[in-house]
Amino acid sequence: MAFSALEDGARGQAQRRRGCEHYDRGCLLKAPCCDKLYTCRLCHDNNEDHQLDRFKVKEVQCINCEKIQHAQQTCEECSTLFGEYYCSVCHLFDKDKKQYHCENCGICRIGPKEDFFHCLKCNLCLAMNLQGKHKCIENVSRQNCPICLEDIHTSRIAAQVLPCGHLLHRGYRCPLCMRSALDMSRSWRQRDDEVAQTPMPSEYQNMTVDILCNDCNGRSTVQFHILGMKCNICESYNTAQAGKYRISIDQQ
């Protein structure tokens, strides 16, 4: 809910409620773009036809005494704590989640800081267990998630680092290069059982097709099956048809 910064009088319970669905905080941000008061930039952006630049926020309003003041961690009038964590760059107020500000990312991240490193080529903070063990793609986070289309770099949802190096919020296969995002070996064994238990009609039993494997990029010719075609090289079912169907005719 928004309030005019010039408006006098009581703001009601909606204003005094601490925080919003996004953050736990004891103040409202005065948007430099429209002079309206919002609990956070996300609440602002969901209700306005423009975006709030978090870096340009200069003033906040205490939810208890309603004093408008310079952005800071504690109210100068009534000592209300605006946030256990406060970043003077991003103007992020929230409860303590071991946040830290990454100078290279330019925004705050949820830590602890010692559990992450910033990959200069990917231009993104990654878990320490990925250091030297991930495929770098330059500025990989400076794009929208190909599944939900949300900006990955500034999203509050953790992105999954796929073996191919791409990022996405959810899904089992990278929609950019189509490689499997997870270890699918167990699923492929289950698919083997399903194929074995589902024989094709006689007219399709001699049908073969050329396939391209999305996981190993190999090409092979396999027997057609409605439940999927298995790569002869890496045994993945993450494949696509790459040629015409062929039917072998038995010679009498």
Side-chain angles (χ1 to χ4, degrees), residues 90-236:
C90 298
H91 304 297
L92 172 63
F93 301 85
D94 201 5
K95 62 183 179 182
D96 184 13
K97 300 174 184 175
K98 307 298 182 184
Q99 300 96 322
Y100 67 97
H101 182 85
C102 176
E103 294 292 342
N104 290 312
C105 283
I107 57 177
C108 291
R109 300 292 190 191
I110 294 179
K113 184 177 182 179
E114 57 269 21
D115 290 349
F116 295 86
F117 75 100
H118 186 90
C119 176
L120 293 176
K121 184 173 182 179
C122 293
N123 203 6
L124 178 69
C125 285
L126 299 171
M128 288 297 295
N129 60 9
L130 292 176
Q131 194 164 20
K133 300 178 182 178
H134 69 284
K135 181 178 179 180
C136 288
I137 297 180
E138 190 169 2
N139 291 324
V140 66
S141 72
R142 300 313 202 270
Q143 58 184 322
N144 293 339
C145 170
I147 299 294
C148 65
L149 302 181
E150 183 179 358
D151 176 57
I152 290 179
H153 187 72
T154 60
S155 174
R156 297 174 68 244
I157 303 173
Q160 182 180 1
V161 182
L162 307 185
C164 56
H166 295 124
L167 304 176
L168 76 162
H169 285 143
R170 56 184 179 269
Y172 70 94
R173 186 169 68 174
C174 176
L176 299 177
C177 66
M178 304 305 289
R179 290 189 180 182
S180 296
L182 308 172
D183 180 1
M184 300 294 292
S185 55
R186 182 178 180 181
S187 296
W188 299 156
R189 289 194 296 270
Q190 292 176 345
R191 186 72 60 85
D192 284 339
D193 294 338
E194 293 170 358
V195 169
Q197 296 170 14
T198 312
M200 294 292 291
S202 58
E203 60 266 32
Y204 293 99
Q205 290 182 358
N206 293 325
M207 180 178 289
T208 60
V209 62
D210 295 332
I211 62 170
L212 171 66
C213 179
N214 292 317
D215 288 337
C216 72
N217 292 324
R219 291 177 177 269
S220 52
T221 300
V222 301
Q223 184 175 1
F224 169 77
H225 199 285
I226 192 65
L227 296 181
M229 276 77 73
K230 181 177 181 178
C231 174
N232 285 337
I233 301 171
C234 71
E235 300 186 337
S236 167

